[in-house]
Amino acid sequence: MRLFFHWFPRYLLYATHSPCPLRSASKVLAVDVFQQHLKSYHVKDIEVKSVDDARGIIYGPNETVIPVKSFLTLLVLEVLNPFYIFQIGSLAVWFTEEYIYYAIAVIFMLIAGAGSSIIQTRRNQMQLRKTIYFSEIATVIRKEDGPERREICVDVLASSLVPGDLIAIPPNGCILPCDAVLLTGNVIVNECMLTGESVPVTKIPIHNDDRKFDESDETTRHSVLYSGTKVLQTRFHGEKWARAVVLRTGFLTSKGQITQSILYPPPVDFRFERDSYKFLGILAIISTAGLLYAVITKYYRGVGPKEIVLKGLVLFTIVIPPALPAAMTIGKLYAQKRLKEIGIFCINSRIINIAGTINCVCFDKDNPLEIGIARQFFFSSSLQRMSVITHALGSSNFNIYCKGSPEMLISLSKPNSVPSDITSVLASYTRKGFRVLALATKSLPTSMTGKEVEEMEREEVESDLNFLGLILFENKLKKATESVVANLRKANIRQVMVTGDNILTAIKVAEECGLVAPKQKVYRLEASPSEVTVLPHFDVGDHLKPTKKVSSISMPHINWARIGSVCDEHHMEGGIPESPPTYALTGQAWAVIRSCHPSVIPKVVKDGTIFSRMTPDQKQQLVIELKGIGLSVAMCGDGANDCAALKSADAGISLSDAESAAASAFTSSCGDVSCVPRVISEGRCALVTSFGIFKFMAGYSLTQFSSVMILYTIDSYLTDFEFLYIDLCLVTLVAALFGLTKPPDASKDLAPRPPSSNLFSFYPILSILLQVLVMVGFQVTAYLGVRLFPWYRPFDFGKQFSYFESPYACYENYAVFAISSFQYLWMAVAFSRGAPHRRWIWSNPRLMCSIAVLGLFCAFLAVLPTDGLAEFFEMAMPPSIKDRALVLPITLLNLILSLFLERVLIEHVLEPGLISRFCKKRRHSTILTDHGIIYSKDHETVHSLTRGRHKGNKG
């Protein structure tokens, strides 16, 4: 019962506590619901603390604590897993039955499996703590006690900061320990950890007026400093450092939210694992039925209670093989090793199988002058420009520099400073795919003071400029990008760009790398609380010209069919349809749609390709929404701003060994996206391998169960060394080598369909049942056939059979064992599926050699064993070698039938749907009428002829 409560702690809470108001509660039950069908329960204690430090208690310490469990704790948690409990029980049964050798082998497998899992878990926890944890000293500004209340600076541990504290930012820079709002001075920070952009950002003081603080406001955001970002430089007046007030601490900060998403990612609901548990439930039912049969038959035959109980428990260990978890892990471990050899490291082998189901991939894209910046006007999308007022060292005047869209800066510049051919030059650059900005300048009068500069209006600063020229930006793709995108597109894997970059840059890169097809229309979505607007996307150079709305739909009566038909008359060229239109939107539009029009999100997620200016939280939201519409999502990123999305994805792939590596299942050292098809290819191979091994282990357990049940009818049994030979030499060795079969070359085309992860479906179950029925049929044939020979002697339990000392030795035992020993090899061959996701079995020389050697030994053991070998296996050998040799053609026929059922019937007839298509074609192919044979495509003709005949009859 205690073990049950360990697995389901909420039931212990129900049993020992009753519901009550929060103020009198000692424990609380938190229920986390994900995507309406996945629930997780957390039982937490309620702590009561004194109120000596009210703010400290309310907000807690400014820490992001990463728990690292001891090896002993991890070992206990691992051993208390239901599978390990079952395996420990199985070991107890085997030792009681003196089935020692296989029990020892399973113990070694358990130690290896549990040890590797514990070491990997501990290593991941340590790596995450090393990445996230930091200890800083913060300078807090406080006032002395006394009448003067002078300000003093006090160095304190950053962990003691609470919201409301006033902190001073060191001039030489630091790592910000909290989220804060800048009050005085200017600060230059590197926000790469959050945004992925390595360009330093200047933060300015918050507006000093009566406006309400709104962090979502574009102006206010330029005054917020975020935890974990690096302060590069500060500027301040006089001797007082730049100051900021603490806004958020601990897990409430931006860095804390990323850390929390890593520690507590959305649950991964992998269908193959769910189905495997269901199938094990069915096997448990089968073993229970066998147990009841054995108990009843043995009871009526006078077998003792102890023997009945032991044999019944052995049946459970036969039908539900304890080695199944280890066998299921082998294929993933081989795939993990192959990935490591090509520079792709996986911290969780379980994710490799999940990577095999991926059908959607999200990609992230990505001598100083001694000039002091006296004032800065940030970029505004509505104004299409930004500007700075600089003061060069040693100079007595101020200079203005402005950059922005060419069209806007041309209109703000003096006409005589603009070249006459600027329009044609600009058009030539934009047609070549460059992103073009313009630069202009103006010098202020030498008589202007710093105070006058601070009081200038923006309109005055950005007027009468002198045009300087154009700045060209080119986003060159990495060598592997285009081929990878083309490969994934051929494999029908959806590809999405989710980036912190500008939307125009993102669209251009998407067009160049093939994420957007050559003639595919791209429409930009913009949103307000009342409507969603669809805008056409022009060439990059023309993006700042006035745009005309394609569609503006009031919410909530949005007509997506209308948006989907925004393809104009050029959508059909020469009768050939273009790719369906796709959408691009910014993080700002995403936030508005998600908060004001949540019902629209599934459509945006379904058809959108380019998501730009996305924050870390929004990237995670997109990944979760993609999973919500039924896609299996991989996220490929390279920065800490991708951590949340990497952790939430079904398979996170980091192209960096920095912060993102701690959050992703895969880390690639190649630095480009060529690792993506390799991960998917290995994942597909591992998933097919897991399917094959599961079917093999299920077939093995049911085949051995049938052997035991057949022999139970005469109170015989497989001997210990027969069991050992089957379990250790045949099954364990073959299962260990099964996963060595490699995937096809990932640089070539991936298969257009991923392998199924649905184990509990018609075809996998039919495959297992057909194989088991064939195996049982041949065993029954051997069991009954051996009785037809003249030398046959019936078995009488409790009496010695001829000169054999074994209590189970008999001719039926020989016949069943001789046939079944081949059957485990034949099932391995039948279930070792090849193309398109794995190479064929003959490409695995170790497995083929093992099957060949074991097959020859099985033949030798069945036909020509030495006396010592027959005595070792406790087999009652038929006297005639000629009669023993009949085992060989029988088992060869068994192999042919097994291969026919799996390779021909299942793989090439039933799964492709040939029978259903043939029946449908036959049903609709021809219709015989009075007017002759009419084919199915002419149904309207048939109806019209029939109506005409009826009218004629009436007339």
Side-chain angles (χ1 to χ4, degrees):
M1 184 61 72
R2 190 68 186 90
L3 190 61
F4 176 81
F5 285 148
H6 169 74
W7 294 333
F8 305 100
R10 68 182 185 275
Y11 292 116
L12 177 61
L13 182 67
Y14 296 152
T16 58
H17 294 69
S18 58
C20 65
L22 182 61
R23 61 178 177 273
S24 58
S26 59
K27 291 183 180 291
V28 62
L29 176 65
V31 182
D32 186 12
V33 181
F34 180 70
Q35 292 183 349
Q36 299 180 350
H37 68 281
L38 293 177
K39 288 186 179 181
S40 55
Y41 299 86
H42 310 275
V43 178
K44 300 293 183 182
D45 294 325
I46 293 179
E47 299 181 18
V48 179
K49 296 183 177 180
S50 62
V51 291
D52 296 337
D53 181 10
R55 284 197 302 166
I57 291 174
I58 293 172
Y59 297 107
N62 180 30
E63 296 175 337
T64 50
V65 179
I66 309 298
V68 177
K69 296 182 175 68
S70 65
F71 280 107
L72 181 59
T73 302
L74 292 172
L75 176 62
V76 172
L77 292 175
E78 187 77 12
V79 170
L80 291 179
N81 183 285
F83 266 122
Y84 281 99
I85 296 297
F86 176 73
Q87 288 166 328
I88 292 171
S90 300
L91 289 172
V93 173
W94 292 335
F95 278 114
T96 304
E97 281 279 274
E98 298 182 357
Y99 188 42
I100 307 297
Y101 300 102
Y102 185 64
I104 294 174
V106 170
I107 288 175
F108 280 113
M109 287 190 289
L110 290 180
I111 292 174
S116 62
S117 176
I118 291 170
I119 292 171
Q120 189 63 63
T121 302
R122 171 87 174 181
R123 185 182 298 163
N124 294 345
Q125 292 178 349
M126 294 293 291
Q127 181 182 1
L128 184 59
R129 170 179 278 190
K130 183 180 178 181
T131 303
I132 300 298
Y133 179 79
F134 71 97
S135 178
E136 287 277 338
I137 299 296
T139 302
V140 180
I141 300 172
R142 294 187 178 152
K143 291 188 177 181
E144 289 183 331
D145 296 332
E148 296 185 2
R149 304 281 289 171
R150 290 186 306 170
E151 289 184 348
I152 59 172
C153 293
V154 181
D155 290 339
V156 299
L157 289 174
S159 59
S160 63
L161 292 176
V162 292
D165 280 345
L166 187 64
I167 59 174
I169 303 175
N172 56 348
C174 64
I175 301 294
L176 286 168
C178 60
D179 287 358
V181 179
L182 189 62
L183 300 179
T184 63
N186 286 6
V187 177
I188 300 176
V189 295
N190 184 352
E191 293 186 340
C192 176
M193 178 245 178
L194 293 178
T195 64
E197 297 180 9
S198 57
V199 179
V201 178
T202 301
K203 299 290 184 176
I204 60 175
I206 189 70
H207 45 78
N208 187 16
D209 51 35
D210 295 333
R211 282 182 289 170
K212 183 179 179 181
F213 178 80
D214 181 8
E215 194 172 349
S216 62
D217 180 69
E218 183 178 1
T219 305
T220 304
R221 284 203 309 271
H222 294 304
S223 303
V224 179
L225 307 171
Y226 296 103
S227 173
T229 58
K230 186 175 183 180
V231 175
L232 303 176
Q233 183 181 353
T234 66
R235 298 191 184 93
F236 50 90
H237 300 288
E239 298 183 355
K240 291 186 177 181
W241 293 356
R243 298 183 175 188
V245 63
V246 177
L247 182 63
R248 290 180 293 264
T249 58
F251 281 105
L252 298 177
T253 64
S254 52
K255 182 179 180 180
Q257 292 294 307
I258 294 176
T259 305
Q260 205 164 31
S261 67
I262 297 173
L263 289 174
Y264 308 104
V268 177
D269 184 27
F270 189 35
R271 187 167 192 172
F272 176 75
E273 293 181 355
R274 282 190 287 115
D275 289 351
S276 63
Y277 289 121
K278 292 178 183 177
F279 201 90
L280 289 176
I282 293 177
L283 294 180
I285 295 173
I286 294 174
S287 64
T288 303
L291 172 63
L292 293 176
Y293 171 79
V295 168
I296 294 172
T297 56
K298 288 184 178 294
Y299 174 77
Y300 281 109
R301 287 176 181 157
V303 180
K306 180 181 177 181
E307 184 70 13
I308 292 176
V309 171
L310 284 176
K311 295 303 182 187
L313 292 175
V314 167
L315 281 177
F316 269 100
T317 66
I318 291 175
V319 180
I320 307 176
L324 179 62
M328 296 288 290
T329 306
I330 290 173
K332 295 179 285 188
L333 293 180
Y334 285 133
Q336 189 176 20
K337 182 181 178 182
R338 288 193 294 266
L339 287 171
K340 186 177 180 180
E341 291 172 354
I342 58 175
I344 302 173
F345 304 92
C346 177
I347 63 173
N348 185 356
S349 61
R350 172 175 174 262
I351 304 297
I352 295 178
N353 271 0
I354 299 176
T357 65
I358 294 300
N359 52 20
C360 176
V361 179
C362 297
F363 292 104
D364 183 25
K365 195 193 70 58
D366 287 341
N367 297 313
L369 294 174
E370 290 196 34
I371 294 177
I373 299 178
R375 196 173 177 195
Q376 183 172 0
F377 297 95
F378 286 95
F379 176 79
S380 170
S381 56
S382 59
L383 298 177
Q384 303 169 12
R385 62 185 183 270
M386 69 163 292
S387 57
V388 293
I389 304 177
T390 65
H391 184 264
L393 296 179
S395 175
S396 59
N397 68 315
F398 295 88
N399 294 314
I400 297 171
Y401 294 94
C402 183
K403 72 173 182 179
S405 71
E407 294 82 2
M408 180 57 67
L409 261 66
I410 289 172
S411 66
L412 296 175
S413 299
K414 296 176 182 177
N416 58 2
S417 68
V418 179
S420 59
D421 61 345
I422 186 65
T423 303
S424 59
V425 172
L426 177 60
S428 67
Y429 286 135
T430 56
R431 280 194 293 269
K432 294 176 181 178
F434 290 103
R435 182 185 176 193
V436 184
L437 294 178
L439 185 66
T441 186
K442 180 172 71 173
S443 296
L444 296 177
T446 57
S447 58
M448 289 195 70
T449 63
K451 183 178 180 180
E452 291 174 328
V453 169
E454 288 288 335
E455 294 175 350
M456 289 183 70
E457 296 292 333
R458 182 165 187 166
E459 290 76 11
E460 182 184 359
V461 172
E462 298 170 341
S463 61
D464 294 329
L465 301 172
N466 293 312
F467 191 84
L468 289 179
L470 301 176
I471 307 173
L472 307 182
F473 295 90
E474 182 181 16
N475 288 281
K476 286 193 174 182
L477 297 174
K478 292 184 178 180
K479 187 176 180 180
T481 303
E482 289 185 67
S483 61
V484 168
V485 171
N487 193 359
L488 297 179
R489 180 182 287 275
K490 290 178 182 177
N492 293 327
I493 295 175
R494 183 178 170 196
Q495 300 170 78
V496 175
M497 179 182 290
V498 49
T499 176
D501 284 341
N502 179 276
I503 188 171
L504 301 170
T505 305
I507 293 174
K508 186 61 185 177
V509 171
E511 291 173 345
E512 289 180 350
C513 71
L515 280 179
V516 175
K519 294 184 179 181
Q520 188 174 12
K521 303 293 183 181
V522 180
Y523 294 89
R524 292 171 54 186
L525 295 183
E526 295 185 357
S528 69
S530 60
E531 67 176 15
V532 173
T533 304
V534 183
L535 301 174
H537 170 65
F538 297 110
D539 291 338
V540 174
D542 299 329
H543 70 272
L544 293 173
K545 294 179 180 178
T547 57
K548 179 181 179 181
K549 293 182 181 180
V550 173
S551 179
S552 180
I553 299 91
S554 299
M555 304 298 295
H557 304 293
I558 185 166
N559 183 358
W560 281 104
R562 181 181 173 190
I563 292 183
S565 64
V566 292
C567 310
D568 52 24
E569 63 274 8
H570 299 294
H571 183 57
M572 293 284 290
E573 294 188 4
I576 302 175
E578 299 178 9
S579 300
T582 188
Y583 309 120
L585 66 155
T586 63
Q588 184 178 6
W590 169 269
V592 173
I593 294 174
R594 194 167 182 267
S595 60
C596 300
H597 322 295
S599 61
V600 176
I601 285 291
K603 177 64 179 178
V604 174
V605 169
K606 180 177 178 291
D607 294 334
T609 299
I610 301 161
F611 298 81
S612 67
R613 292 297 189 203
M614 299 285 277
T615 66
D617 285 345
Q618 290 173 337
K619 291 182 179 182
Q620 183 187 33
Q621 292 164 8
L622 175 61
V623 168
I624 293 174
E625 293 293 346
L626 286 167
K627 292 169 65 177
I629 62 173
L631 295 176
S632 183
V633 183
M635 173 69 193
C636 187
D638 60 358
N641 61 312
D642 301 318
C643 284
L646 287 168
K647 196 69 175 180
S648 299
D650 293 298
I653 305 173
S654 171
L655 303 182
S656 166
D657 58 359
E659 295 95 338
S660 59
S664 56
F666 299 94
T667 302
S668 173
S669 59
C670 66
D672 58 44
V673 295
S674 63
C675 61
V676 175
R678 292 176 178 174
V679 168
I680 294 175
S681 179
E682 284 289 355
R684 290 180 171 185
C685 178
L687 181 56
V688 174
T689 299
S690 294
F691 252 82
I693 289 182
F694 190 93
K695 291 162 70 175
F696 170 68
M697 295 297 288
Y700 140 67
S701 63
L702 292 174
T703 300
Q704 194 174 77
F705 174 73
S706 67
S707 301
V708 172
M709 296 306 294
I710 290 171
L711 294 176
Y712 265 2
T713 59
I714 57 172
D715 277 334
S716 183
Y717 200 58
L718 292 175
T719 65
D720 285 350
F721 285 100
E722 287 174 343
F723 268 124
L724 186 65
Y725 175 66
I726 293 171
D727 294 340
L728 195 57
C729 297
L730 293 178
V731 174
T732 303
L733 180 60
V734 168
L737 301 176
F738 197 96
L740 284 175
T741 306
K742 297 179 180 180
D745 188 358
S747 62
K748 299 179 181 178
D749 294 345
L750 292 169
R753 290 181 60 188
S756 171
S757 62
N758 188 359
L759 178 64
F760 207 70
S761 61
F762 178 72
Y763 295 124
I765 292 177
L766 179 64
S767 171
I768 296 172
L769 288 180
L770 287 177
Q771 293 295 332
V772 171
L773 288 175
V774 168
M775 304 309 170
V776 173
F778 276 91
Q779 287 186 31
V780 171
T781 300
Y783 174 80
L784 298 176
V786 77
R787 298 181 175 188
L788 302 177
F789 291 93
W791 40 257
Y792 170 75
R793 178 182 172 184
F795 174 74
D796 189 1
F797 180 75
K799 296 181 181 180
Q800 185 173 350
F801 185 84
S802 186
Y803 58 89
F804 299 100
E805 297 181 359
S806 171
Y808 303 120
C810 61
Y811 291 134
E812 288 90 348
N813 171 284
Y814 162 81
V816 171
F817 172 71
I819 290 294
S820 66
S821 59
F822 286 98
Q823 291 178 331
Y824 303 106
L825 301 178
W826 301 161
M827 282 191 292
V829 175
F831 290 140
S832 184
R833 180 169 291 202
H837 306 301
R838 289 173 92 224
R839 297 181 185 179
W840 293 106
I841 187 173
W842 50 77
S843 68
N844 187 343
R846 296 183 193 177
L847 179 59
M848 289 298 295
C849 289
S850 299
I851 291 175
V853 171
L854 289 172
L856 290 174
F857 184 78
C858 288
F860 174 72
L861 188 60
V863 181
L864 294 171
T866 63
D867 292 339
L869 193 60
E871 185 177 348
F872 178 80
F873 279 91
E874 304 177 61
M875 290 191 303
M877 300 299 298
S880 171
I881 296 178
K882 181 180 178 181
D883 293 339
R884 296 181 213 161
L886 290 176
V887 170
L888 301 181
I890 293 174
T891 193
L892 184 60
L893 179 62
N894 190 166
L895 172 62
I896 294 171
L897 185 56
S898 294
L899 289 176
F900 172 79
L901 291 175
E902 189 68 21
R903 292 284 182 270
V904 180
L905 183 63
I906 297 293
E907 293 185 19
H908 291 89
V909 176
L910 294 179
E911 285 185 350
L914 293 183
I915 292 180
S916 59
R917 286 205 296 265
F918 177 78
C919 294
K920 185 177 179 180
K921 181 180 178 181
R922 190 67 181 268
R923 187 168 59 248
H924 300 294
S925 59
T926 59
I927 302 173
L928 183 60
T929 70
D930 295 340
H931 302 274
I933 297 176
I934 299 177
Y935 291 94
S936 59
K937 62 182 180 181
D938 298 322
H939 284 308
E940 292 300 323
T941 307
V942 175
H943 288 300
S944 63
L945 288 172
T946 304
R947 285 195 298 269
R949 184 176 62 185
H950 289 169
K951 288 179 181 179
N953 291 340
K954 286 183 180 180

